[in-house]
Amino acid sequence: NKPTTANQGRERAWKGERELAAMNSLPDALSALHDPTTTPAARHAAHVFCEQYKATAADRLAEILPLIHASQPLLSRHFGLHAVEGVVLSQWEHLSPEAQLELRRSLLSVARDGLLPLAQEAHVVREKLAVLLVGIARREWPARWTTMLPELVQLASAGNTPAHCVLLAMRTLIEDVCSEDGGSWGGGGGGGSNGSASAATDPRSALDVAAPDMLEWMHQRLRYHLSAYQAGPPEAVAEDLLVLRAALSALRAFATHLALGLLLGRASLLAEVVALLNAPVAAVRDEACELLIVLLGKRPKQPAEKLQLLGQARPSPHPSAHASARAGRDLPPRCHCPATALP
């Protein structure tokens, strides 16, 4: 039996080598990996091919980046995103400054022009792209990528899909910078929140400086998509609903980690969030509730701030005229402030 077993093992090895030699393209390898009829030898060969491809991804970016585009099959896009993530996480320092800049611009370009409409785009693609942008920020911002936040805001103006991606990125950015390992960011000189570092080199200091403008932009996004959601028929506002949820999630990260005083100056924001507790969509109600729990759980420096916060978190009375006009898609009325028109 032993000779037979050894012969079988050698035969499997030879077969695997033949399969690997025949595997000469990434589409073939990805197809073999996900085809349930693929033989074990071919599946193993496809796996080896893909791992070898990812190991040399830093030298193949010109081939890999087009894989992320919406015109490609989801399997290819998923693989491309993971290959780029490997480059950002473990090979970034080995790239030339020119290659780093090109990779950053390429990902921003994909977020702007290379995604499907928001309601059709796979969540894993949107989420992974946001993570990649923050991964580059971890290595470049604020010292080298000085224009990151303005670039992200400009990107969001390109449509609902880029806006959703930017909100995911901002939420992740805030959580990462303010987490315990935020000082490990390579884009600055460290220093944490002890005041010893400047906004030009320290991510937390830069975030504190940018916080008022970030809050202003997030609030504008919330109001814009809330207004669209209230005004349009359900089938026309699916994308606004997704962006609205992303805005609430980003605001929750902001409220968790950044100054309460910035939020106290925005009475309309608190009332709008309270209004969303009556939204007909459970996911929106949940996001609004989570944000309010964070806000009301904050420890103010002065007791008066808590009273101010509670006083602001009160929606306006609900006129019956608005109720009949919205016919079943009822939300308490918006605060008496003009809707923000975003580009």
Side-chain angles (χ1 to χ4, degrees):
N1 289 338
K2 288 184 179 180
T4 302
T5 303
N7 290 336
Q8 289 174 341
R10 284 194 294 271
E11 184 177 345
R12 283 196 298 268
W14 292 334
K15 190 173 182 180
E17 290 173 2
R18 289 195 302 271
E19 294 279 5
L20 182 57
M23 197 76 61
N24 55 15
S25 76
L26 183 62
D28 288 345
L30 292 174
S31 177
L33 273 178
H34 296 89
D35 185 348
T37 64
T38 301
T39 65
R43 191 179 306 280
H44 174 73
H47 175 76
V48 171
F49 183 94
C50 290
E51 290 304 308
Q52 291 175 348
Y53 198 98
K54 286 194 291 187
T56 59
D59 300 321
R60 296 174 176 264
L61 287 175
E63 303 172 21
I64 292 174
L65 287 168
L67 295 176
I68 304 174
H69 197 275
S71 60
Q72 299 298 313
L74 183 57
L75 292 178
S76 297
R77 302 177 74 199
H78 193 266
F79 176 85
L81 287 165
H82 278 280
V84 173
E85 184 178 34
V87 173
V88 172
L89 292 180
S90 60
Q91 302 179 54
W92 183 259
E93 293 75 13
H94 302 300
L95 297 177
S96 67
E98 294 78 16
Q100 292 174 350
L101 179 60
E102 180 60 28
L103 176 53
R104 189 176 85 203
R105 287 175 173 172
S106 295
L107 291 178
L108 290 170
S109 177
V110 169
R112 182 179 60 251
D113 303 316
L115 299 177
L116 294 170
L118 182 55
Q120 302 172 29
E121 185 58 270
H123 179 73
V124 65
V125 172
R126 292 181 264 127
E127 189 79 36
K128 182 61 71 175
L129 189 54
V131 167
L132 287 175
L133 291 173
V134 176
I136 292 178
R138 176 179 279 274
R139 290 151 180 82
E140 296 288 291
W141 184 76
R144 292 179 290 277
W145 191 3
T146 57
T147 58
M148 180 189 71
L149 291 174
E151 285 186 55
L152 290 179
V153 170
Q154 183 180 21
L155 170 63
S157 68
N160 285 339
T161 310
H164 188 273
C165 184
V166 168
L167 285 164
L168 293 180
M170 285 194 175
R171 180 200 68 197
T172 306
L173 175 76
I174 293 169
E175 292 172 344
D176 281 11
V177 170
C178 298
S179 66
E180 292 182 3
D181 66 342
S184 66
W185 277 49
S193 56
N194 59 10
S196 63
S198 73
T201 58
D202 176 55
R204 180 56 197 259
S205 299
L207 191 60
D208 288 338
V209 170
D213 289 338
M214 289 180 69
L215 179 60
E216 170 69 23
W217 181 79
M218 290 180 191
H219 188 192
Q220 287 180 358
R221 274 289 158 190
L222 180 75
R223 294 171 66 192
Y224 177 79
H225 294 284
L226 174 58
S227 177
Y229 174 69
Q230 289 178 314
E235 62 276 9
V237 295
E239 292 191 355
D240 292 291
L241 180 62
L242 289 171
V243 183
L244 183 62
R245 290 174 56 190
L248 288 168
S249 180
L251 283 165
R252 174 156 51 92
F254 188 100
T256 300
H257 297 289
L258 298 175
L260 178 63
L262 292 172
L263 294 160
L264 289 176
R266 294 187 171 272
S268 62
L269 170 61
L270 296 173
E272 285 156 0
V273 174
V274 171
L276 287 169
L277 294 177
N278 288 330
V281 179
V284 174
R285 295 197 301 271
D286 290 344
E287 289 285 1
C289 185
E290 292 291 336
L291 175 53
L292 283 173
I293 288 172
V294 170
L295 288 171
L296 298 176
K298 297 284 283 187
R299 286 188 180 178
K301 295 180 180 178
Q302 302 294 333
E305 289 185 341
K306 178 67 80 173
L307 294 175
Q308 183 183 354
L309 183 66
L310 291 171
Q312 290 176 357
R314 239 189 349 237
S316 305
H318 191 309
S320 58
H322 282 123
S324 59
R326 282 190 285 271
R329 299 190 59 252
D330 210 15
L331 287 175
R334 295 187 292 277
C335 296
H336 303 295
C337 49
T340 304
L342 291 173

